[in-house]
Amino acid sequence: MDASWFEPVRAYCERTDAAFWAEPVNALSNAAFLIAAALAARRARGDGPVLALAGIVFVVGIGSFLFHTLANRWSMLADVIPIAVFIYGYFALAMARFFGLRPAAATALTLAFAGLSFGLTPALDALSGRSVSGLTNGSIDYVPAILALLGVGLALLRRAPGTARSVLATAGIFLVSLTFRTVDVGVCARLPLGTHFLWHGLNAVVLYRLLIAATRFRV
């Protein structure tokens, strides 16, 4: 493997050096994802798609733990790739389960959503002339996910009010968690621990709520 893959990455307030346990709170708070995955799998009761996504949530926790301990370029991929897989996997499931779309249509919409997501940051960078992702500590990359949750929740209001309210509330929790992720580096002077661990805890709640919504509602 190229040596650059082992290049140290310091992305969060808690890390002050390259030591394995330099981010103990950020690392250990990933247990929230493992708990969320286990609880969701227990509630899924044989629901194959939801069980698969619960497995991905478990991998999210492992990948994030690796990044907050090893803190290099390859472990960063181990952190972000499972998150992306969950986002697009859940979007496809939502299109099929909440709106009754056939697999081809759900897949096409998911690919369109992925294209929008990957194109957002470069487009904003071009408009502003600077790295928008850098200014937001990378949180701008999650804006399409919030917009998707809001869109799904609003579209479900007449079809399934209870599920719609749950999805919209989950979008609100996600927005709060994303705020903690964004401000982490900016609060280092006043809060050396940072706020990234709160992103882990609240985001685990978000993923759990989404999985439970999918188990409770089907067209």
Side-chain angles (χ1 to χ4, degrees):
M1 184 179 291
D2 193 293
S4 62
W5 288 107
F6 294 92
E7 181 181 343
V9 175
R10 182 191 171 189
Y12 304 107
C13 191
E14 189 182 14
R15 179 167 292 277
T16 57
D17 57 50
F20 185 87
W21 283 117
E23 296 179 64
V25 176
N26 285 347
L28 295 177
S29 58
N30 286 295
F33 293 111
L34 308 186
I35 295 171
L39 293 177
R42 182 177 180 182
R43 294 284 297 274
R45 296 179 181 176
D47 187 335
V50 173
L51 283 173
L53 287 172
I56 293 172
V57 172
F58 189 89
V59 176
V60 166
I62 299 300
S64 184
F65 175 82
L66 290 174
F67 181 48
H68 290 291
T69 50
L70 300 176
N72 51 31
R73 290 184 61 192
W74 79 260
S75 60
M76 180 171 64
L77 293 180
D79 178 30
V80 299
I81 290 176
I83 295 173
V85 171
F86 180 90
I87 290 173
Y88 301 125
Y90 191 88
F91 186 90
L93 178 63
M95 294 302 99
R97 185 160 292 188
F98 295 159
F99 302 107
L101 297 185
R102 294 183 181 275
T107 300
L109 281 177
T110 302
L111 291 175
F113 173 56
L116 171 66
S117 300
F118 283 109
L120 176 65
T121 300
L124 292 177
D125 288 349
L127 287 174
S128 65
R130 64 182 70 183
S131 173
V132 174
S133 186
L135 290 173
T136 63
N137 201 26
S139 296
I140 193 69
D141 297 331
Y142 294 96
V143 169
I146 289 182
L147 296 178
L149 287 178
L150 291 173
V152 168
L154 292 173
L156 283 174
L157 276 174
R158 297 186 66 179
R159 177 190 294 258
T163 301
R165 288 192 293 269
S166 177
V167 172
L168 291 173
T170 302
I173 298 171
F174 190 27
L175 181 59
V176 174
S177 72
L178 195 59
T179 300
F180 283 123
R181 186 187 193 282
T182 304
V183 303
D184 177 76
V185 174
V187 301
C188 286
R190 291 170 292 175
L191 187 64
L193 179 62
T195 57
H196 191 77
F197 70 98
L198 295 172
W199 152 263
H200 289 163
L202 290 174
N203 209 29
V205 173
V206 167
L207 301 186
Y208 173 77
R209 286 176 60 90
L210 290 177
L211 292 176
I212 296 307
T215 63
R216 289 177 174 172
F217 179 84
R218 299 189 188 192
V219 173

